[in-house]
Amino acid sequence: MLVPTVVSLALGLWGVRRGGTLWRDEAVTYDMARRALPDLWATLAGADAVHGLYYLVMHALFAVCGGLDPLLVLRLPSVLATAAATGAVAALGRRLAGPGTGLLSGTVFALLPQVQRYAQEGRSYALVCALVVWATLLLVRAVERPGRRAWAGYGAVLLTACLLNEFAVLALVGHAPVVPRAVRRGWAVTGTAVLAAVAPLAVLSAGQSAQVAWIGRPGTGAIAGFAGTGVLALACARALGRGGAHRARLPVLALSLLVLPALLLLLVSLAEPLYVDRYVLYCQAGTALLAGAALDRLVRARRTRVVAAACAGAAVLALLPASLQLRTPQSRTDDVTAVARALAQARTGGGGVLFMPARRRVWSLPDPGSVRGLRDLALDRNPVASHTLYGTEVPAEVIRARMLATPRIVAVRDPAGQPLDAAPGEAVKRQTLAEHFVECGTRRVRGARITVFARPGRCPGRVFRIRSG
């Protein structure tokens, strides 16, 4: 377990600050974690309850480590959780197929690009992954040595994962095929208890489903990627399954954990779009176990050791560009730090600011000084006062009146080509700008456009250079 865990920790710490940048989901974590507990509780009652436990953990962490670099405080839990998950994958491989498989499975897991990505992100997915993988290890132990304490440990760890993110409950589907009939009753009782305990959170978060309205139905790319991974994993599992009854447990567990949770979420998403790969990040443990077992078989065969070494070296070299790219601001959907810098430059000259759509107000939350001196023309109550993620806005007619009374407006918008929000307030923002203002200059940064608008004939000589980023 030690070598893969150290590899994971080193990869997690390498470039963890990403040049001092963060993206909008991390900005939400940062904002929520720094709210006073009463405000945080009140917000969770109406929004983002699915991440409530994670925000509480981060709130405590920021309270203890408030003087440290906030980016490190934000991301170190994910770094450590990924290292813990790597150790659990190595322990699973060792228990099911021997020390060679354990060493290689853990190392493969640490190197997977998706795992590296969420190891450096201030969100709950790495923690959930670690807990699910450890619950899987506890399940294997409970199957071998069943008892109340064994099942209680498995259930407690899996429940904690579900409370951090309720999609962890899908791991039960991935665990079911490896539970022998002799202990199925104990597993069923434990699983039922976990479902019952997480049900109140599921009911509460179901009432907040508007927050995931941005998720579309799975596209052909997502389905083809899942199908291709499944076919390759199945072929690998069948080949490995010929190694005896004891070693056959690894392919069954790895394949079910890799395929079944994601497949169920994909099927549900055909009716109610919910599929996002990070929600089932723990499925990557199955990928690592299969790859590690296959590499171990190659290494143990004398004639193929050179081939195995060549394959491993080629894989590491192939992953290097992805690993480098993941540690740059360009690896995320947007760059909140770059938005703040552009806003700080655009606010010279005063006036008003519009966030289009309103949820992009999150870009200003980590650095409120970036909009100092600009009046938020649509804002009614700020995020803390309104107990919401992004604040509440005044009615459309009030937004229009405020805009017409303001000679200079800084609009913070999505990149061109993104779907337009059909809400009345958003439509009024776009219509009023188009009819009564002219564009003076735009700065494009990662995932955003910051545009200065003014009344016709009142644009300054230069707002800022128009550039891409």
Side-chain angles (χ1 to χ4, degrees), residues 1-7 83-111 133 137 246-247 250 285 287-297 299-300:
M1 293 173 60
L2 181 60
V3 172
T5 301
V6 171
V7 170
T86 300
V89 171
L92 271 170
R94 177 186 178 90
R95 196 175 191 97
L96 296 173
T101 296
L103 173 65
L104 292 168
S105 295
T107 304
V108 168
F109 182 81
L111 290 171
V133 178
L137 178 59
H246 178 71
R247 288 183 177 272
L250 184 144
T287 304
L289 287 168
L290 288 169
L295 284 171
D296 184 44
R297 175 166 288 191
V299 169
R300 286 186 290 108

Side-chain angles (χ1 to χ4, degrees), residues 296-385:
D296 184 44
R297 175 166 288 191
L298 287 174
V299 169
R300 286 186 290 108
R302 293 182 178 179
R303 296 180 180 179
T304 57
R305 285 179 181 175
V306 175
V307 175
C311 290
V316 171
L317 289 175
L319 290 173
L320 184 59
S323 297
L324 291 170
Q325 197 268 343
L326 284 171
R327 287 154 179 85
T328 66
Q330 290 71 34
S331 64
R332 301 313 194 263
T333 303
D334 54 17
D335 183 349
V336 174
T337 306
V339 172
R341 286 197 297 263
L343 270 172
Q345 183 178 0
R347 68 186 173 91
T348 303
V353 63
L354 286 174
F355 295 95
M356 304 169 60
R359 59 183 176 273
R360 298 299 177 245
R361 189 172 283 106
V362 68
W363 285 331
S364 69
L365 298 184
D367 181 13
S370 62
V371 291
R372 187 174 293 120
L374 296 175
R375 182 190 181 191
D376 193 331
L377 299 176
L379 185 65
D380 182 18
R381 302 176 70 197
N382 67 44
V384 175

Side-chain angles (χ1 to χ4, degrees), residues 202-220:
V203 172
L204 178 59
S205 61
Q208 303 171 358
S209 59
Q211 288 182 238
V212 292
W214 58 271
I215 302 177
R217 285 185 171 80
T220 54

Side-chain angles (χ1 to χ4, degrees), residues 394-445:
V394 295
E397 59 271 16
V398 179
I399 295 175
R400 177 181 172 85
R402 290 180 179 180
M403 291 176 66
L404 293 176
T406 306
R408 182 179 186 273
I409 296 174
V410 179
V412 186
R413 303 180 289 171
D414 284 336
Q418 294 296 306
L420 298 177
D421 195 315
E426 302 302 331
V428 161
K429 293 175 190 177
R430 296 191 297 269
Q431 181 182 1
T432 306
L433 286 175
E435 293 178 353
H436 299 280
F437 292 83
V438 295
E439 181 177 331
C440 301
T442 294
R443 169 161 290 182
R444 295 170 178 85
V445 299

